[in-house]
Amino acid sequence: RRELCLITYGVYWNFEIENGKIYYLNRAMKRDSLDEISGVFPKEWDMLGAGRIYTWSRTLPLLKHCLLYGYGENSFATVFPQTDYLQKTRVFGTNAMIVDHAHNLFLTIWLYYGLPALVGVLGLFVVYVKRVLHQLIHKVEKKSFWLQIGSFLSVAAYAVTACFNDSTIFVTPVFLLIFGLSVAQMSM
């Protein structure tokens, strides 16, 4: 048994040779496979969006297993195919990267909780938009008009940003507060 270390562009690749076979050693120095995981999008797109396309491309095939219920809270790193070392090196510049979130709130909700949860969240957004537009067009008071516009734009901005980021502990509570106050304002 012999070990071999290759360094390419600053990335260490450890291999073990035993009985004429070559095995890749991951960062924990355990034998691992060098799988090439095919994505939904072409490989040339993987580097777009700071690697988001790579992550989305390999997350989308996982969603077919989450039609009724998801994998559970914070399970992304365990269900995401982490053994695509070659493409991860091309995209992120390291083979030791652990992809631990989807960079998309809606994909995350679907993966963690299932399709019904995603439909519920999207339904909330649709009902909210319909109610706000109805209020603004038909019966908004002058004093609350700008409050409703500001709340609506905040919620819309959060929904757009959610397409490219997961929720964060700093932004999500503020969003939920604005969303709740806006819904309460409409109910008055």
Side-chain angles (χ1 to χ4, degrees):
R1 177 181 153 203
R2 296 182 329 211
E3 288 186 13
L4 172 69
C5 180
L6 298 173
I7 303 172
T8 57
Y9 300 104
V11 177
Y12 288 84
W13 296 90
N14 295 303
F15 296 94
E16 184 177 74
I17 303 170
E18 186 175 43
N19 297 330
K21 288 191 171 188
I22 301 174
Y23 301 97
Y24 171 68
L25 300 175
N26 64 21
R27 66 188 267 195
M29 298 307 283
K30 298 193 184 268
R31 287 183 182 176
D32 208 345
S33 57
L34 284 173
D35 298 330
E36 189 169 345
I37 310 295
S38 60
V40 175
F41 306 117
K43 278 187 174 184
E44 295 79 30
W45 295 8
D46 282 351
M47 294 184 75
L48 297 175
R52 281 171 169 76
I53 299 296
Y54 168 82
T55 306
W56 297 341
S57 185
R58 280 130 186 100
T59 301
L60 289 171
L62 300 173
L63 298 177
K64 66 183 174 213
H65 304 291
C66 303
L67 296 179
L68 289 178
Y69 54 88
Y71 288 102
E73 184 76 31
N74 293 326
S75 60
F76 189 85
T78 58
V79 298
F80 188 84
Q82 301 288 355
T83 58
D84 192 4
Y85 296 107
L86 295 172
Q87 191 64 3
K88 282 202 291 191
T89 301
R90 288 185 199 110
V91 173
F92 302 115
T94 178
N95 57 2
M97 168 72 91
I98 302 292
V99 181
D100 61 352
H101 56 283
H103 288 288
N104 182 307
L105 179 62
F106 304 112
L107 290 179
T108 300
I109 290 170
W110 190 348
L111 194 75
Y112 285 176
Y113 309 111
L115 184 58
L118 178 63
V119 169
V121 168
L122 293 176
L124 276 175
F125 279 121
V126 168
V127 168
Y128 174 78
V129 168
K130 286 174 75 174
R131 286 186 68 189
V132 166
L133 292 177
H134 182 266
Q135 287 260 329
L136 292 175
I137 293 170
H138 296 293
K139 57 179 180 177
V140 71
E141 297 175 18
K142 270 198 183 247
K143 65 180 182 178
S144 65
F145 177 79
W146 292 110
L147 178 65
Q148 283 291 59
I149 290 288
S151 299
F152 175 71
L153 291 176
S154 297
V155 171
Y158 184 85
V160 169
T161 303
C163 294
F164 304 100
N165 290 306
D166 294 309
S167 65
T168 63
I169 196 164
F170 303 108
V171 177
T172 303
V174 175
F175 158 73
L176 292 173
L177 180 69
I178 292 171
F179 185 75
L181 289 173
S182 180
V183 169
Q185 175 71 25
M186 285 188 288
S187 299
M188 295 169 67

